[in-house]
Every structure is written in structure tokens, then in C-alpha cells.
Amino acid sequence: MYRAIARSFGPAADVVRVEPYQPDPPGPGEVWVRMTAATVNPSDLVTISGAYASRTRLPLVPGFEGVGVVERTGPDVGTLAVGDRVLPIGSPGAWQRIKRTEARWCFPVADGLTDAQAATSYINPLTAMRMIEEHVFPGRTRHVAVNAAGSATAAMLARMLHRRGVSAIGLVRGDPGAPGRAEAPWAAVLSTGRADWHEELRRRTGGRGPDVAFDAVGGAEGERLALTTAPGGRLVHYGLLSGRPLPADLTARRPDLGLHLFWLRAWVHAADPADVRRALRAAGELVRSGDAATRVQARFPLAEIGTALRAAVERGRDGKVLLEP
């Protein structure tokens, strides 16, 4: 059997290779999960690049998201049984044929989901759900801005906010009218390539700026978005697509601004497992309803990992890339 592995940091297509391996037998509380589909996410690519080198151990089998079937169990795995269809979360390692993992991190797949739906029902849907639950308040939040608006998470945010009656404005680096933008119910889409985009954002939010801003970019764009947020507003920073952090003095320059870092992994590891199970079930329902649906641009066998990663980088706006280990 085979796995994808990175032994150094760098561009994913350059440093990730496929190699044969033999997983160790599952020990107490562990299972083998035979992966049937795994997602290539921006968070995977950013991690492989070395942006989080201080908390990433090499060699690394990437893949934070995927779906599979329990193939073998060790002792003391509770009710988990061979043949159960699960989401093995809580650690990387989805980009391989067999993932040996702790049974406590294997959650049931919501009923009626295909492999493609199940493999994309965790990171983006749960991130959008949790950020809205924690930071968007009925009757108080009128305007929200979301950068990287061409991303899957941003589209989910737009659809979920629309259902709550909240105006969501998307920010993109390229053409606001590019194909795919209309798939999400944005009140407007602005290009951050324009020098005056922040002024236009203020104009479209009644002159105040957005009450809440979701930042997946960081760097100069995240900084400008923070400075454009309404007095007493919130910036929720949940991604680092630019590879650059927000400036360290941001809160000193905007002491009124609530700066919140959202890291899904932190919530998942701190939450009660029953709460995680309920959240994943709700996310699965949102996937099935379409509010958290993800467009898949292509599927590749693990042997074609280089081609798959290049497609994810070069054509990410066309949808997710799935690996079929």
C-alpha cells in the first residue's frame, strides 16, 4: 500500500512524494481506517509550505480531512466495528491507504452522504458553522465582510449568513465578476486589487465598515480589513493564505477592535466528544441541504499526487481536489 509524505517544507507539488509503507497493527484503542476519499485543502498546502513549522513535525503524511471505512480494530475501541464508515479527524494522515488512528477520533458519517460529500463535510462546514455561532449575533450583526470570497468556506459563510438575514460582502483579489462568484448570495463582491476597495466597503456598510470581518488571508490585506472594520467590531482571523501574519501592533492601533483567532483544531480538541459528534451531524445536514456543499473539480488516484496538487494550486477556484487512496 502507498502513502503521500513530505520530508521537507516547501511547495506541495515539489516536496510531497508517494512511497510504499506498511502500517503498524492497531494497538489498544486504535483502528485501521481504509481511506476512500481525502480532500486537498488550503490548510494542507499552507502546512506543507512550512508556515506552521514550529508546530509541524516532519516527516508528515498530510491530509486533515477524509472519509473511510474501519478495516481492523485493536482492543478497547468501544462500539466501533469493522465496516463502520467514519470521519477520522483530529490529526493529519488522510493522504494514505490506511490511516492508523485512535478510535475516539473516528466519528460516524452523516446518513446519505456520498464519499465526495463526506470527505468535504468537516473542515470548511464546521469552520463556517462555529465562526458564525461564536461571532455573529442576531439583531446586532448587520454587515459582514469575508475575504478570499472565492473559497469554499467563504461561500458557505455567505449562504449561512444569508439565511440569517445578514448582509455579506465578499472580497476577492481578482475579477469580482469571475465565474463561480454568483454561486454564493453575496450582497456585493469587491476586488482588493483596487486601491480604494476599503473605502467602497465602508460606503456599502453605511459608512461604518462591517460589524464582523472574517479574514482567511492575513498580511497586508488582513490588516487593511481590520482597520476598515466598524468601531467596536470584530475581526475573526482563521487562515493565512498570504503566508504572512497580521501585524503585531494591530490591537494597539485599533484598541476597540475585537481580534479573535479561530482554529478549528483547537475547538475540536477542547470540546466534549458528544458536542463534536453533534456538530459533525449538523455539518453533514448542511452539506446535504446545499448550504455547505462543496464543488469538486477533479479526483485523482494517490499515484498522481503531483498532478493533483498542481490542480489544487492552479485551479483552486474551480473546486476541491479529491484524492482516492
Side-chain angles (χ1 to χ4, degrees), residues 143-147 157 161 166-171 186 190 197 201 205 209-215 225 228-229 234-236 238:
H143 301 287
V144 172
V146 184
N147 63 14
L157 285 168
L161 290 167
V166 177
S167 171
I169 296 175
L171 305 174
W186 300 110
L190 310 179
W197 68 266
L201 178 57
T205 53
D211 303 301
V212 178
F214 292 112
D215 170 41
L225 180 56
T228 308
T229 301
R234 292 179 171 224
L235 180 84
V236 183
Y238 71 100

Side-chain angles (χ1 to χ4, degrees), residues 184-210:
W186 300 110
V189 179
L190 310 179
S191 173
T192 57
R194 288 182 47 176
D196 64 345
W197 68 266
H198 54 289
E199 296 173 4
E200 178 67 8
L201 178 57
R202 277 206 182 93
R203 187 184 70 79
R204 289 179 177 268
T205 53
R208 286 173 45 84

Side-chain angles (χ1 to χ4, degrees), residues 212-324:
V212 178
F214 292 112
D215 170 41
V217 178
E221 183 176 317
E223 175 187 10
R224 172 52 66 184
L225 180 56
L227 297 176
T228 308
T229 301
R234 292 179 171 224
L235 180 84
V236 183
H237 178 58
Y238 71 100
L240 202 64
L241 294 178
S242 70
R244 297 181 178 277
L246 294 170
D249 65 347
L250 188 56
T251 53
R253 293 154 62 196
R254 279 291 305 267
D256 63 300
L257 180 69
L259 177 59
H260 303 269
L261 305 180
F262 182 85
W263 189 22
L264 180 63
R265 185 181 186 277
W267 179 81
V268 166
H269 281 257
D272 186 284
D275 291 335
V276 177
R277 182 184 295 260
R278 282 191 290 269
L280 286 169
R281 186 182 304 120
E285 292 170 358
L286 288 170
V287 169
R288 190 166 45 241
S289 73
D291 279 355
T294 297
R295 186 158 34 99
V296 174
Q297 60 150 301
R299 306 178 190 217
F300 295 91
L302 195 60
E304 298 179 18
I305 188 68
T307 303
L309 294 174
R310 284 188 289 273
V313 171
E314 297 167 5
R315 303 196 304 277
R317 69 181 59 184
D318 296 335
K320 291 291 184 185
V321 167
L322 293 186
L323 297 172
E324 296 178 336

Side-chain angles (χ1 to χ4, degrees), residues 6-10 43-64 92 263 265:
R7 299 187 179 277
S8 62
F9 295 121
S43 57
D44 297 311
L45 304 178
V46 171
T47 299
I48 295 165
S49 77
Y52 307 126
S54 63
R55 62 177 189 240
T56 304
R57 294 176 60 184
L58 294 174
L60 170 71
V61 177
F64 292 107
W263 189 22
R265 185 181 186 277

Side-chain angles (χ1 to χ4, degrees), residues 124-143:
N124 292 340
L126 215 52
T127 294
M129 278 177 50
R130 292 297 309 164
M131 290 197 303
I132 288 175
E133 289 172 3
E134 293 180 15
H135 299 290
V136 175
F137 307 108
R140 290 169 49 193
T141 306
R142 295 180 54 204
H143 301 287

